[in-house]
Amino acid sequence: MPDTHQQERRYRPEVQGLRALAVVLVMVYHVWLDRVSGGVDIFLLLSAFLLTGSFVRKMEAGRPLALGRYWLHLFPRLLPSAAAVLLAVLAAARVLLPASDWTGVFRQAWSSLFYVQNWTLAHGSVDYYARDHSSASPLQHFWSLSVQGQVFILWPLLFALAAGAAAAFGWRFRPVLLAVFGTVFTLSLAFSVRETAVNQAYAYFDTRTRLWEFALGSLLALALPYLNLPRLLRIIMGWVGLAAMLSCGVLLQVQQQFPGYIALWPLLAAAMIIVAGQTGSRAGVDRFLAAPPLVKLGNSSYGLYLWHWPVLVFWLVYSGQDSAGPVDGALVIAASLVLAVLSTRFVEAPVRSLSWSGAGRWRSAVVIAALLAVVAAPLAGWQRQVHGTQIKVMSQGVAENPGALALDPAFVESVPAEAVLKPAVSSIGSEWADFDGACAPEYAPADPLLGKCLEIGSPEGAERTIVVLGDSHAQQWMAAMGPVARTNSWHLIAVLKPGCRYGGDVPERSAECNSFNAAAARYVVERTPDAVFTVASLTRESSPEEVLVPGYDDGVRPFAEAGIGVIALRDNPRFDYDMVKCLESNELDPASCSMPRSRVLAPVSPLEGLSERIPGTAVVDMSDRLCTEGECPGIVGNMLVYMDHDHLGKTYLETTARVLSQRILATTGWDGEPVPAEGYQPVE
């Protein structure tokens, strides 16, 4: 039996060099190639490898696990550098990022501080309504640290569970651990393969799809003492592993395929290097990895990983570039290295060496609380300040912010000089229409394809029932339809699917969208509402090629045949740039970001003739409340019209409710009342 204690205790400089090489790969791929290298996955494996070796030595030496002491010792080592980076990011974001990005920074800073950033990014990556899918977030890289933090809590619990089982049944500790981590490896890898195939964007950040990478590191630590391979074979393995590690990101588009089975490539490459170990040969890869510069770099690898990404992001924001070139990319890496060394020496090391904090558990807890507070206090203060500004802005009335009313010839616009643009750009990400909640049970769809429906108003005593079908462009108009419905006691039921415009079955749409629309049509015919509300045209980004939604006639004809009315709304303009960010970068000058109407809308509405083809269809065109005769601006009546490149904001749409109600009542012939326009000032 090998001397496992001696082998596991031995310091392995090549592992530290491997950590350094992994972080170099991460930086190089991020800075110059805009790709993912697989180096982060190697970090995950190494963290479990080292953690497992530490706990196994402790258990086999007969020492208690002392989990509470372990965690109270661990997090004061992790938090100092993380806190320094978070504070630096907050300061830089306040100066360099537009206010429309601040809400996302707040959310991700809290998530990073408490090690749940990966879940925030996972949900955001599949959230169609997320304003920014975090592709350029200065805190995006905290996802892997969050996963590690969660595993640093979970893994000791598994060790405790294995120790308890071994003691209860008289089993040896190491075989029990092999069974535990073997099970985790198998289940997590199977889950990872499935989820990566079904929903890769979410799976990339999901802790559950990453557990097998940690489990592989633990299995490697447990099996390593029993692997006595010939030196020549280990020399070959080391270089093959290094070659595979360096080539992974070049040959694979890692970010689009991980963390399924393909992640075995970099992990097995790293495992081969670890198994190769210290060969004692000048030809061994360990001689290269144990070189003093690499080992020294490995000592700062944690800080280097923390700093490189925000430095890169903020440099690109400051310079206005999409990517770094050879020179400025090298400067980004150099600056990151300097910051990593400084934070390791002057922040991380002093906190680690505090003798006071190690004198008792409560003192370690105080250090953790203090480190959290150092970030939480300024973060909460800035967030409170922004929220206060948002409340102040939203308290302004029609006199300060007439919005779409300013396009009414019968309205006298006189905006006071002290009026502030509404809504505050920092709240633009929350400008989606509000609903009262999920539909009443009797209106809930039975078909699981439709999911849940949402409603505005109550079915009890409703004068009319209208079903809203379509995508986000139909949903956004609920901000204006809500006041119309409440004024006239209508009941609105929304059956929506992001990115799926309502129409008949056509090859231009995905099979999933066509199936959803077919189920939605069946739902409408079964419920026989008074009308269906849809967006019937389809605009293109910064193009006049506006068309009728493909298959629209076939999609709504069954409703007309069943005596159900159709309200067909013309689509709003789209732009090939984010309107809010354009305005922010041009000091909120509407002229800098407006587009000629002829560039974004067809000269003749594609909805012309629809009422004749499909009797019972009421065509509504609100484009004159989004554009003037000549242009489509981003600010109208001292109010932001859009919240991104093609979605209208809730606050602005509420100012269109009066005209929308008038046009719906006129085209349908229904009895009803227009929405009152509070503060409306007609021409005398």
Side-chain angles (χ1 to χ4, degrees):
M1 182 177 185
D3 183 357
T4 60
H5 297 299
Q6 183 62 32
Q7 289 192 33
E8 292 175 354
R9 285 180 187 273
R10 186 177 59 192
Y11 173 65
R12 301 189 56 176
E14 78 279 5
V15 172
Q16 196 72 338
L18 180 59
R19 285 163 57 94
L21 190 58
V23 78
V24 168
L25 280 176
V26 170
M27 286 195 305
V28 168
Y29 275 73
H30 281 169
V31 172
W32 283 306
L33 303 179
D34 192 25
R35 298 181 69 171
V36 176
S37 64
V40 170
D41 302 82
I42 294 172
F43 276 128
L44 303 185
L45 179 140
L46 289 176
S47 63
F49 174 78
L50 297 172
L51 174 65
T52 301
S54 173
F55 269 89
V56 168
R57 289 193 297 272
K58 184 184 295 185
M59 288 301 298
E60 293 187 338
R63 302 196 305 272
L65 289 174
L67 300 187
R69 183 183 303 169
Y70 165 75
W71 288 318
L72 289 173
H73 177 70
L74 171 69
F75 286 101
R77 296 168 62 89
L78 297 177
L79 281 171
S81 292
V85 171
L86 287 172
L87 286 173
V89 166
L90 292 178
R94 181 65 180 84
V95 175
L96 296 174
L97 294 186
S100 58
D101 286 343
W102 289 354
T103 300
V105 171
F106 297 155
R107 180 174 60 254
Q108 293 194 32
W110 286 116
S111 299
S112 300
L113 185 61
F114 291 102
Y115 291 90
V116 292
Q117 168 74 322
N118 64 308
W119 294 113
T120 296
L121 293 175
H123 294 304
S125 68
V126 296
D127 182 4
Y128 179 87
Y129 299 103
R131 173 175 165 77
D132 182 353
H133 290 264
S134 304
S135 59
S137 163
L139 295 173
Q140 178 173 334
H141 65 314
F142 267 83
W143 76 265
S144 64
L145 304 179
S146 296
V147 173
Q148 281 184 300
Q150 294 160 31
V151 168
F152 286 154
I153 293 175
L154 174 61
W155 247 230
L157 295 176
L158 293 180
F159 283 114
L161 177 66
F169 296 100
W171 297 334
R172 291 173 54 208
F173 181 58
R174 193 177 290 253
V176 173
L177 282 179
L178 284 168
V180 169
F181 290 118
T183 301
V184 173
F185 174 85
T186 303
L187 295 178
S188 175
L189 178 57
F191 179 76
S192 181
V193 170
R194 176 186 176 279
E195 288 301 299
T196 301
V198 173
N199 193 354
Q200 190 271 337
Y202 190 96
Y204 190 86
F205 301 109
D206 191 335
T207 303
R208 299 168 297 176
T209 64
R210 298 282 181 173
L211 291 179
W212 70 271
E213 299 183 327
F214 291 93
L216 182 60
S218 294
L219 292 172
L220 180 62
L222 292 168
L224 188 60
Y226 301 93
L227 298 177
N228 295 312
L229 303 177
R231 186 168 74 163
L232 178 60
L233 178 58
R234 289 191 288 120
I235 292 173
I236 295 173
M237 285 179 61
W239 286 109
V240 169
L242 182 64
M245 174 182 168
L246 295 176
S247 64
C248 174
V250 175
L251 300 178
L252 299 178
Q253 181 50 274
V254 173
Q255 192 166 10
Q256 297 175 1
Q257 301 180 58
F258 275 33
Y261 66 90
I262 297 181
L264 282 166
W265 182 320
L267 294 180
L268 291 180
M272 292 173 72
I273 295 173
I274 293 172
V275 170
Q278 295 180 345
T279 63
S281 169
R282 298 182 62 182
V285 75
D286 55 302
R287 182 179 176 85
F288 163 68
L289 293 175
L294 267 183
V295 173
K296 190 172 182 179
L297 183 62
N299 296 333
S300 298
S301 59
Y302 176 55
L304 196 52
Y305 178 80
L306 280 170
W307 283 107
H308 86 281
W309 181 254
V311 170
L312 172 63
V313 169
F314 285 123
W315 165 250
L316 295 179
V317 170
Y318 175 77
S319 63
Q321 300 174 182
D322 293 328
S323 59
V327 176
D328 56 341
L331 292 175
V332 164
I333 292 178
S336 303
L337 181 57
V338 170
L339 290 169
V341 171
L342 291 176
S343 63
T344 300
R345 181 174 179 181
F346 296 109
V347 178
E348 184 178 321
V351 174
R352 286 186 176 189
S353 61
L354 280 176
S355 57
W356 180 86
S357 63
R361 295 186 181 183
W362 72 270
R363 292 186 178 184
S364 296
V366 168
V367 171
I368 293 174
L371 290 168
L372 294 175
V374 164
V375 177
L379 174 56
W382 183 19
Q383 194 170 8
R384 191 182 309 112
Q385 180 186 32
V386 169
H387 184 61
T389 301
Q390 293 171 351
I391 293 175
K392 181 179 179 180
V393 169
M394 295 307 289
S395 67
Q396 294 181 147
V398 174
E400 295 89 354
N401 307 97
L405 293 176
L407 296 175
D408 192 328
F411 181 79
V412 176
E413 180 183 2
S414 180
V415 178
E418 68 275 9
V420 181
L421 187 68
K422 185 177 181 179
V425 289
S426 57
S427 62
I428 201 69
S430 59
E431 277 286 290
W432 286 100
D434 296 321
F435 290 89
D436 294 342
C439 292
E442 61 267 29
Y443 288 95
D447 193 327
L449 277 175
L450 300 180
K452 68 176 182 178
C453 61
L454 301 170
E455 69 179 1
I456 295 176
S458 171
E460 297 180 6
E463 294 290 330
R464 297 189 184 279
T465 298
I466 301 172
V467 175
V468 181
L469 298 180
D471 56 6
S472 58
H473 280 230
Q475 177 178 337
Q476 68 187 1
W477 279 99
M478 293 306 97
M481 282 294 289
V484 178
R486 294 186 179 96
T487 299
N488 293 281
S489 298
W490 295 349
H491 180 215
L492 300 182
I493 302 169
V495 179
L496 305 166
K497 183 176 179 61
C500 181
R501 186 67 55 91
Y502 180 76
D505 192 327
V506 292
E508 290 94 329
R509 293 192 197 90
S510 67
E512 183 182 10
C513 181
N514 281 325
S515 298
F516 181 90
N517 285 340
R522 291 192 297 269
Y523 172 87
V524 170
V525 173
E526 291 169 1
R527 295 298 191 283
T528 61
D530 294 279
V532 169
F533 179 97
T534 65
V535 176
S537 71
L538 185 64
T539 52
R540 309 292 185 188
E541 293 182 350
S542 298
S543 169
E545 297 178 2
E546 180 188 5
V547 297
L548 185 71
V549 170
Y552 188 79
D553 285 19
D554 292 338
V556 299
R557 187 171 286 110
F559 305 150
E561 294 172 351
I564 301 169
V566 176
I567 301 173
L569 186 73
R570 188 179 185 182
D571 201 3
N572 60 269
R574 299 173 189 247
F575 306 90
D576 57 4
Y577 51 88
D578 186 309
M579 179 61 77
V580 177
K581 292 189 182 299
C582 176
L583 289 167
E584 286 183 290
S585 63
N586 288 280
E587 299 181 347
L588 299 178
D589 176 20
S592 300
C593 302
S594 64
M595 184 78 73
R597 178 173 175 144
S598 59
R599 288 273 307 276
V600 289
L601 289 173
V604 178
S605 171
L607 304 189
E608 291 227 350
L610 182 61
S611 298
E612 289 73 26
R613 297 197 308 272
I614 311 291
T617 299
V619 173
V620 178
D621 188 344
M622 294 291 290
S623 56
D624 64 338
R625 289 301 178 269
L626 308 176
C627 305
T628 65
E629 290 185 2
E631 64 179 3
C632 296
I635 297 176
V636 173
N638 202 39
M639 190 175 286
L640 289 167
V641 180
Y642 297 87
M643 56 176 160
D644 51 30
H645 72 287
D646 71 316
H647 292 107
L648 303 165
K650 171 180 65 177
T651 304
Y652 182 81
L653 282 174
E654 288 171 348
T655 67
T656 70
R658 179 179 177 83
V659 173
L660 179 63
S661 62
Q662 291 172 333
R663 293 180 182 177
I664 289 177
L665 294 174
T667 55
T668 59
W670 294 345
D671 295 328
E673 295 292 330
V675 174
E678 182 182 354
Y680 188 69
Q681 301 173 357
V683 176
E684 295 182 359

